[in-house]
Amino acid sequence: QVQLQESGPGLVKPSETLSLTCTVSSGSINKSFWSWIRQSPGKGLEWIAYIFSNGDTTYNTSLKSRVTISIDTSKNQFSLKVYSVTAADTAVYYCARHAGEAVGYGIDFWGQGTTVIVS
Amino acid sequence: SYGLTQPPSVSVAPGETAQIPCEGDNLHRRGVHWYKQRPGQAPVLVVRYTTDRPSGIPERFSGSDSGSTATLTITRVEADDEADYSCQVWDSDSDQVVFGGGTRLTVL
């Protein structure tokens, strides 16, 4: 079954850019929707953005001005950049796949999550 | 923006039935997905499209909806069910993926 693995720095300085990559294995990145989701300490899940394998993107309106999601199908990877980070961006960041070929389907595969601390 | 509301906590004794509500406008017209998340772990999809149970999920987990409220029901609750449960929809009007705030299920 599909496996997702996040990678990137665990510590980012305020005002700098947070960059994460999700590597998809045991399955193709094509014809699926892929999301980044985060969870601040003690808080609920917050969706950040999604991307389809053709490169179409949609962002959380509250984060849109500071976030970019991209995909590299040749590497079976998709990525997230969060600009001008503050302590409020400290969270566990998950990459995930939406089931089927529609974003409205449930999220059936998740990465293990990576902790990013802004300090 | 579209929002989903869940109670912060629900408590239930072992063997009893737990019901976790999720409220949102016109929720009955949307597919509601439910996730179980243990501390330090990634969420797991336990109910999709309001009532459908993915393979491998026990029959004790079920979903329903009525008007503006979707409900995750767990029958014959076990200690292993203790976790955070979150509901989620895709709001097609705004093209946003939305999560509820999550409910901590405590097994007494």
Side-chain angles (χ1 to χ4, degrees):
Chain A
Q1 61 183 19
V2 173
Q3 295 183 325
L4 296 89
Q5 178 67 57
E6 306 90 350
S7 59
L11 183 64
V12 182
K13 289 181 168 50
S15 81
E16 295 191 344
T17 297
L18 180 166
S19 296
L20 297 173
T21 295
C22 181
T23 300
V24 179
S25 58
S26 301
S28 174
I29 202 168
N30 292 315
K31 295 185 179 179
S32 288
F33 286 87
W34 306 91
S35 273
W36 284 98
I37 295 155
R38 71 182 182 181
Q39 188 168 35
S40 301
K43 302 294 186 181
L45 298 165
E46 180 182 31
W47 170 73
I48 302 171
Y50 73 73
I51 188 166
F52 188 58
S53 51
N54 68 356
D56 288 344
T57 60
T58 299
Y59 296 94
N60 184 320
T61 53
S62 67
L63 296 168
K64 186 174 184 177
S65 63
R66 296 197 299 123
V67 173
T68 297
I69 189 172
S70 59
I71 194 165
D72 186 339
T73 55
S74 68
K75 294 182 179 179
N76 250 29
Q77 294 178 333
F78 63 104
S79 299
L80 176 74
K81 290 187 184 294
V82 182
Y83 306 100
S84 304
V85 297
T86 69
D89 295 307
T90 293
V92 175
Y93 286 75
Y94 295 99
C95 58
R97 189 191 82 164
H98 294 261
E101 295 185 17
V103 70
Y105 291 177
I107 297 170
D108 58 354
F109 290 103
W110 298 70
Q112 65 184 23
T114 187
T115 299
V116 178
I117 296 173
V118 177
S119 178
Chain B
S1 62
Y2 191 82
L4 296 173
T5 302
Q6 297 183 241
S9 62
V10 167
S11 298
V12 65
E16 299 298 310
T17 296
Q19 291 193 306
I20 300 173
C22 173
E23 296 185 5
D25 289 343
N26 295 316
L27 207 52
H28 67 285
R29 296 197 295 123
R30 308 171 189 272
V32 181
H33 313 297
W34 289 94
Y35 303 89
K36 173 184 180 180
Q37 185 180 24
R38 293 195 181 95
Q41 296 186 18
V44 173
L45 181 66
V46 293
V47 169
R48 58 191 176 193
Y49 274 108
T50 306
T51 59
D52 187 55
R53 195 173 48 250
S55 62
I57 302 301
E59 292 183 3
R60 300 185 298 105
F61 288 80
S62 64
S64 62
D65 73 348
S66 177
S68 61
T69 302
T71 301
L72 175 68
T73 300
I74 309 171
T75 58
R76 304 184 300 281
V77 166
E78 304 171 356
D80 188 58
D81 297 330
E82 187 161 282
D84 293 329
Y85 291 85
S86 298
C87 56
Q88 178 254 311
V89 299
W90 173 59
D91 179 32
S92 58
D93 293 334
S94 61
D95 193 12
Q96 299 282 285
V97 175
V98 181
F99 286 94
T103 298
R104 171 68 55 87
L105 175 66
T106 299
V107 180
L108 300 170

